[in-house]
Amino acid sequence: EVSRDDPETAFCTLANREELNPEEDSIHHCLYQFTRNETLTETNKLLCDVCTQRHCGPKNNIKSEKKYVYTNAKKQMLVSLAPPVLTLHLKRFQHAGFNLQKVNRHIKFPEVIDLAPFCTAKCKNVAEGNTKVLYSLYGVVEHSGTMRSGHYTAYVKMRAMNNHLSDLVLRGQSQALETEPVKGQWFHISDTHVQPVSVSKVLSSQAYLLFYERLL
């Protein structure tokens, strides 16, 4: 779907992302980099249908003459629909010559995250005037080992049923006013072994997948 927004507001977000100043090796920094504004120039110029038609005339002449007009452009990936469940997948590998190498460093992630700085100002399921889109952590998948072998474990929070989450999934409605983490007990699960753990243990894990449920 192609939409033509006002250039002055097309790259606006629900909350000011420039005030973030995200810490290196944090999930905020990852999201900031993933949603940064990019300039497309030279070999990355954008094929512009409007410019092509203006320069070459009607569409039926374009293909035969193979005249296309490319123009400089800006590109930014933002969230246009805040999901009930936010799943973040960390890319934990990098190229080392002709091989792939696992990235083992710890990436900091919060118990409650605000997605507003990464959402378009016209985010479809956020009430008008809201400048926060909050999510509470409820699951983490961790991988130990190398690219060739390893073991997956999980951290899961046992908590009361979130009726608001059901409304979001079934009806797309957002009425929650909670801004604090969903209360509950964390457990570490490794194959058949399950044991309770503290939230500090969870937040110090080497996350591979993060699961958040929407609060606000």
Side-chain angles (χ1 to χ4, degrees), residues 93-215:
F93 66 87
Q94 62 185 5
H95 288 278
F98 293 101
N99 299 317
L100 289 177
Q101 180 179 329
K102 186 183 174 189
V103 177
N104 288 307
R105 67 177 179 271
H106 175 66
I107 301 298
K108 297 179 182 177
F109 55 93
E111 196 174 356
V112 172
I113 190 170
D114 184 5
L115 203 64
F118 316 108
C119 292
T120 175
K122 297 181 180 179
C123 200
K124 296 173 184 175
N125 58 346
V126 175
E128 186 175 352
N130 277 10
T131 57
K132 289 184 179 293
V133 184
L134 301 181
Y135 288 83
S136 177
L137 184 71
Y138 74 90
V140 180
V141 174
E142 184 179 42
H143 177 268
S144 58
T146 67
M147 293 292 295
R148 294 181 177 274
S149 64
H151 181 58
Y152 289 97
T153 58
Y155 294 91
V156 179
K157 179 189 281 189
M158 187 177 72
R159 62 216 185 281
M161 186 177 72
N162 186 341
N163 292 323
H164 164 59
L165 193 63
S166 300
D167 290 338
L168 275 173
V169 172
L170 297 176
R171 289 179 286 277
Q173 298 174 347
S174 175
Q175 298 178 345
L177 298 175
E178 297 293 332
T179 59
E180 299 295 326
V182 176
K183 294 182 180 180
Q185 172 64 55
W186 281 96
F187 289 88
H188 182 232
I189 303 170
S190 177
D191 293 334
T192 59
H193 301 284
V194 180
Q195 61 179 356
V197 293
S198 64
V199 65
S200 60
K201 173 70 173 175
V202 176
L203 297 179
S204 65
S205 65
Q206 186 175 292
Y208 177 59
L209 287 167
L210 295 168
F211 298 91
Y212 287 87
E213 59 184 325
R214 189 168 170 187
L215 295 176

